[in-house]
Amino acid sequence: AQTVTQSQPEMSVQEAETVTLSCTYDTSESDYYLFWYKQPPSRQMILVIRQEAYKQQNATENRFSVNFQKAAKSFSLKISDSQLGDAAMYFCAYRSPWDGQNFVFGPGTRLSVLP
Amino acid sequence: DVKVTQSSRYLVKRTGEKVFLECVQDMDHENMFWYRQDPGLGLRLIYFSYDVKMKEKGDIPEGYSVSREKKERFSLILESASTNQTSMYLCASGGVSTQETQYFGPGTRLLVL
C-alpha cells in the first residue's frame, strides 16, 4: 500500500517570502498522480496543484510550484511571495489509477504566515 | 462551480446514539468518499462509493456504515456513537479519471459525549 509522509507538522514564513513544504511517498507504481490541497481555517479543502508522474516538467499555478523528483519519490510545494491568505493546513496526496482510485493523504503541514 | 454540501457543520451526540451524516454533490460524480480527519493523522478513508448502491471499505470502516441510494447523495452512519468517534468528518466527490481531483464538503465536526 502506498504511504505519504509530510515531515514538517508546522512551518512559518514571513509575508512576501518563499517557503517550501516537503512531501515524500512510497509506491511501486510507475504511473500515478500527486496533489497538494489547502485547507484554510474553518473553510473547505481545495486543490492547489497536481502533477502526473509521467510528466517531467514541474507543475506551476501562479505563486505555487512543485519540485517533483520521481526517483527520490519526493513532491515538495513551493509558495512564492507568501500572502496572509496562504495560512492553512496543506495536505499532500497520492492517487493510484489501480488501487480503487483512492487518494492517500499525508498528515498535513500547518503553515503560518507572519506579517 | 462544483458544490459538495454536508448536512451539519457541528453536531453533538451522546454515546450510543445513532448518527447520520449526509453529503450531497451537484456534479454528477461517480465517486464519493467519507474521510475522518484527526490532528497528526491527516485524512483517513472510512468508505467510498463508485456507483449507486456500491460501496467499498476504506482504511477505518469499523463502527461506520454508509448508504448511497441516489448518485448525488452519500450518507455516513454511526450505528452506536462512541467517544472515540469524536472527530472532523469530510465528504468528497470526484470523477473516475485518475487526474481528476476530489471536491470536498465543508466538514462536520462531531462531538460524542
Side-chain angles (χ1 to χ4, degrees), chain A residues 37 39 44 50 95 101, chain B residues 37 96-97 99-101 104:
Chain A
Y37 288 93
Q39 186 181 41
Q44 261 158 284
R50 84 187 87 189
R95 189 179 196 189
Q101 300 189 1
Chain B
Q37 182 181 1
V96 297
S97 172
Q99 68 185 8
E100 293 190 58
T101 182
F104 287 86

Side-chain angles (χ1 to χ4, degrees), chain B residues 74-104:
Chain B
F74 192 35
S75 301
L76 179 69
I77 303 150
L78 287 67
E79 295 288 344
S80 177
S82 63
T83 55
N84 63 13
Q85 292 179 310
T86 291
S87 187
M88 170 73 90
Y89 291 88
L90 294 179
C91 174
S93 74
V96 297
S97 172
T98 312
Q99 68 185 8
E100 293 190 58
T101 182
Q102 291 188 331
Y103 297 88
F104 287 86

Side-chain angles (χ1 to χ4, degrees), chain A residues 57-113:
Chain A
Q57 186 174 5
N58 289 325
T60 62
E61 289 285 343
N62 301 313
R63 297 182 295 108
F64 298 88
S65 61
V66 299
N67 183 6
F68 173 49
Q69 302 288 330
K70 190 173 184 180
K73 297 179 184 175
S74 171
F75 182 59
S76 59
L77 174 69
K78 186 171 85 170
I79 307 174
S80 304
D81 185 25
S82 296
Q83 300 175 358
L84 295 177
D86 294 335
M89 281 291 290
Y90 286 83
F91 293 96
C92 177
Y94 172 102
R95 189 179 196 189
S96 165
W98 311 116
D99 185 19
Q101 300 189 1
N102 290 333
F103 286 69
V104 179
F105 288 85
T109 296
R110 183 176 299 281
L111 177 67
S112 301
V113 180

Side-chain angles (χ1 to χ4, degrees), chain B residues 42-106:
Chain B
L43 278 68
R44 292 180 292 168
L45 182 65
I46 304 172
Y47 269 97
F48 80 98
S49 169
Y50 52 91
D51 202 350
V52 175
K53 297 190 186 296
M54 305 304 289
K55 62 185 179 185
E56 285 205 18
K57 294 180 180 179
D59 299 320
I60 51 165
E62 296 78 19
Y64 304 94
S65 62
V66 290
S67 171
R68 193 168 181 199
E69 296 296 319
K70 293 184 178 181
K71 191 174 185 179
E72 68 271 18
R73 189 180 298 270
F74 192 35
S75 301
L76 179 69
I77 303 150
L78 287 67
E79 295 288 344
S80 177
S82 63
T83 55
N84 63 13
Q85 292 179 310
T86 291
S87 187
M88 170 73 90
Y89 291 88
L90 294 179
C91 174
S93 74
V96 297
S97 172
T98 312
Q99 68 185 8
E100 293 190 58
T101 182
Q102 291 188 331
Y103 297 88
F104 287 86

Side-chain angles (χ1 to χ4, degrees), chain A residues 3-58:
Chain A
T3 58
V4 177
T5 301
Q6 294 176 251
S7 59
Q8 307 149 317
E10 295 185 357
M11 294 276 288
S12 63
V13 61
Q14 209 72 35
E15 200 175 1
E17 298 293 311
T18 295
V19 65
T20 298
L21 307 185
S22 301
C23 172
T24 58
Y25 56 94
D26 186 25
T27 185
S28 58
E29 296 171 338
S30 59
D31 188 19
Y32 46 86
Y33 268 82
L34 297 164
F35 301 80
W36 276 100
Y37 288 93
K38 171 185 177 182
Q39 186 181 41
S42 301
R43 292 177 61 188
Q44 261 158 284
M45 183 135 34
I46 57 173
L47 175 69
V48 175
I49 199 166
R50 84 187 87 189
Q51 173 83 40
E52 183 180 7
Y54 265 113
K55 289 188 177 176
Q56 293 188 343
Q57 186 174 5
N58 289 325

